[in-house]
Amino acid sequence: MNRLEAAWSRKRLALTFGAQIYNQIVTLLVQLALVPILLHQWGAQRYGVWLLLSAVPSYLVFADFGFTLSAKNELTTSVASGDHKRAIHIYQSTFALLNIVVFVVLAILFSAISPSNLAHTFSLGEVSGESATRILLFLAGNVLLNQYLLLFAAGLRASGRPAEEVLWNASSRLAEGIVTIIAATLSNDLPTTALTIFLCRGGIAILVWVRLRTVAGWLQLGFTYVSLSEVRRLAAPSFAFLAQSFAQVLLIQGPVVLLGSLTNPLAVATFSTCRTLVRLGTTAANLLNATFIPEYTRLYASSRSLLWATFRWHVLATGFMLAGYIALLVSSGEYVLHVWTKDRIHAGYPWFFLMILAASSEMAWTTAAMPILAINRHVRLSYAYLAVSFICLASQAAALERFGLNAVAISLLVAHGTMLIVVAFDIRKQFCQETIQK
């Protein structure tokens, strides 16, 4: 193993880990700051309309069908292996695809959205249909601009700066939060705030593009090197990323919907609160996973032996974290609930313990899946996850009325346990054997 390469890898991991911590801090601060300030400036009713209208464009994050995610991995692999020609083909092909998506989405929005339609569809209170239309269009434009920002930031990752990619993405959210507060305070006008957010996102996207031009000037925007073969190559992993995201939404939101339909509000509140507590560990695991995944992509092209060593350290760190997480929740989970909810929510057994095990299984299999996701070999894994999610929800629907929260916890544990087996099989077939052979 090249010691210099290993040292650079450790340095990149340390910088990316620090950037991920910054990202988490920014996310928490923005969420905590926006709620009281916007409530104070706009009042509960107007703030509720803002949340409603901002929720609609949030689904446009899937508008690129996962191509930006898969292109990010292929870009990094190509640059790490010295294949700049293929990298620029991927970059410009993804850029062209984004332009087509943005054009189609904007055409649909401008033809489908009107003040009368919004006023008829949503309860807007004192917000007029005209204002709601402008808010929705500006916020939709903000989400679409973010797709370009993600592509430019992917270029930074590919050029060996994964920490900078994270820093720019986090800083864009911080800037958006700051301008939201300033606009809401100074203007007290919802459309003006939405426009300010849109302009801020556009400005940040331009800054990231300028930064990319300085560190990787050869990675130019344009359509000269657009390749349909690259788009076809990216299609399977891109759609698989989309399937994985949908599966995750199903397992997070599905049980809540079923509980609300088949039981009572207390069961919904109990499950949601306890799930929030037991999933705190997944936040830490996801932070660690996000730190390692860009390094896996780079090492796959440059040093498979170092990749395998890095993966072992990743699994070991997650294992220690899991052991502490389980011990902490088993010993003091009930006490935390008592203090946190002022004794309004109680952990029942065995379902609470089973929820801890389910979250632990999720942390384990997502950690093990990172090398597969990093090299776009996750197609089978993602569709298996989607199938398992549907089966899990179906079993909950069948058993919920009889077994209550125990049915939810058992089905989630079985689902994530099944995924752990699927990932172990995929790791052995697609990652370990290939690494050892090389």
Side-chain angles (χ1 to χ4, degrees), residues 27 83 90 103 160 170 176 195 282 299 355 379 400 429:
T27 301
D83 191 354
I90 295 169
F103 176 79
E176 180 182 313
L195 174 60
T282 62
L299 292 177
M355 287 289 294
V379 174
L400 190 56
K429 183 175 181 180

Side-chain angles (χ1 to χ4, degrees), residues 84-164:
H84 285 196
K85 183 178 179 180
R86 180 167 181 252
I88 198 168
H89 277 293
I90 295 169
Y91 183 66
Q92 292 197 359
S93 298
T94 307
F95 177 67
L97 186 67
L98 280 180
N99 286 335
I100 294 172
V101 167
V102 168
F103 176 79
V104 171
V105 169
L106 289 178
I108 293 173
L109 288 175
F110 278 105
S111 61
I113 294 176
S114 68
S116 59
N117 286 342
L118 288 179
H120 177 74
T121 305
F122 302 118
S123 177
L124 300 177
E126 62 188 59
V127 178
S128 67
E130 290 78 6
S131 293
T133 300
R134 293 198 298 272
I135 294 168
L136 195 57
L137 290 174
F138 287 141
L139 293 181
N142 176 58
V143 175
L144 294 174
L145 277 176
N146 191 56
Q147 299 296 327
Y148 291 102
L149 190 154
L150 293 176
L151 177 62
F152 302 151
L156 293 175
R157 176 199 278 199
S159 64
R161 294 168 172 81
E164 198 168 336

Side-chain angles (χ1 to χ4, degrees), residues 226-296:
V226 172
S227 170
L228 289 178
S229 62
E230 287 295 345
V231 174
R232 286 194 295 268
R233 188 199 302 264
L234 292 173
S238 299
F239 294 144
F241 273 125
L242 203 62
Q244 184 175 331
S245 298
F246 185 54
Q248 189 170 19
V249 170
L250 282 177
L251 283 188
I252 290 176
Q253 301 296 339
V256 176
V257 174
L258 288 175
L259 284 167
S261 303
L262 302 176
T263 59
N264 54 70
L266 178 60
V268 175
T270 300
F271 171 77
S272 297
T273 305
C274 291
R275 184 184 61 182
T276 299
L277 176 62
V278 301
R279 282 183 58 83
L280 287 177
T282 62
T283 302
N286 289 338
L287 188 150
L288 206 58
N289 293 341
T291 299
F292 277 91
I293 193 168
E295 197 61 23
Y296 289 146

Side-chain angles (χ1 to χ4, degrees), residues 140-384:
N142 176 58
V143 175
L144 294 174
L145 277 176
N146 191 56
Q147 299 296 327
Y148 291 102
L149 190 154
L150 293 176
L151 177 62
F152 302 151
L156 293 175
R157 176 199 278 199
S159 64
R161 294 168 172 81
E164 198 168 336
E165 175 199 24
V166 179
L167 287 173
W168 277 109
N169 286 328
S171 297
S172 71
R173 290 198 303 276
L174 178 61
E176 180 182 313
I178 292 172
V179 300
T180 300
I181 291 171
I182 293 173
T185 303
L186 295 180
S187 72
N188 199 30
D189 181 63
L190 272 65
T192 301
T193 303
L195 174 60
T196 306
I197 291 172
F198 171 75
L199 294 175
C200 175
R201 182 75 68 176
I204 296 292
I206 293 172
L207 288 176
V208 177
W209 173 73
V210 171
R211 173 59 179 161
L212 179 60
R213 291 282 291 153
T214 61
V215 301
W218 57 270
L219 202 58
Q220 298 180 0
L221 287 179
F223 305 100
T224 305
Y225 298 99
V226 172
S227 170
L228 289 178
S229 62
E230 287 295 345
V231 174
R232 286 194 295 268
R233 188 199 302 264
L234 292 173
S238 299
F239 294 144
F241 273 125
L242 203 62
Q244 184 175 331
S245 298
F246 185 54
Q248 189 170 19
V249 170
L250 282 177
L251 283 188
I252 290 176
Q253 301 296 339
V256 176
V257 174
L258 288 175
L259 284 167
S261 303
L262 302 176
T263 59
N264 54 70
L266 178 60
V268 175
T270 300
F271 171 77
S272 297
T273 305
C274 291
R275 184 184 61 182
T276 299
L277 176 62
V278 301
R279 282 183 58 83
L280 287 177
T282 62
T283 302
N286 289 338
L287 188 150
L288 206 58
N289 293 341
T291 299
F292 277 91
I293 193 168
E295 197 61 23
Y296 289 146
T297 310
R298 173 167 293 276
L299 292 177
Y300 179 77
S302 60
S303 177
R304 304 283 176 88
S305 59
L306 183 54
L307 190 156
W308 179 234
T310 304
F311 179 58
R312 287 200 299 266
W313 281 109
H314 185 189
V315 171
L316 186 64
T318 303
F320 279 116
M321 183 172 62
L322 270 175
Y325 158 81
I326 293 173
L328 181 64
L329 279 183
V330 170
S331 62
S332 52
E334 283 188 278
Y335 175 74
V336 172
L337 276 175
H338 168 73
V339 174
W340 184 28
T341 67
K342 294 182 172 56
D343 208 28
R344 291 188 178 93
I345 300 294
H346 300 275
Y349 289 89
W351 72 267
F352 183 69
F353 179 69
L354 294 172
M355 287 289 294
I356 296 173
L357 293 181
S360 301
S361 299
E362 181 183 3
M363 292 163 64
W365 81 256
T366 51
T367 295
M370 286 302 106
I372 300 174
L373 293 168
I375 59 174
N376 285 347
R377 301 288 182 83
H378 58 283
V379 174
R380 177 171 52 194
L381 173 69
S382 295
Y383 288 115

Side-chain angles (χ1 to χ4, degrees), residues 395-419:
S395 65
Q396 288 177 17
L400 190 56
E401 288 186 277
R402 182 176 180 183
F403 297 103
L405 291 175
N406 288 319
V408 178
I410 292 172
S411 64
L412 289 173
L413 176 58
V414 171
H416 291 302
T418 301
M419 288 308 303

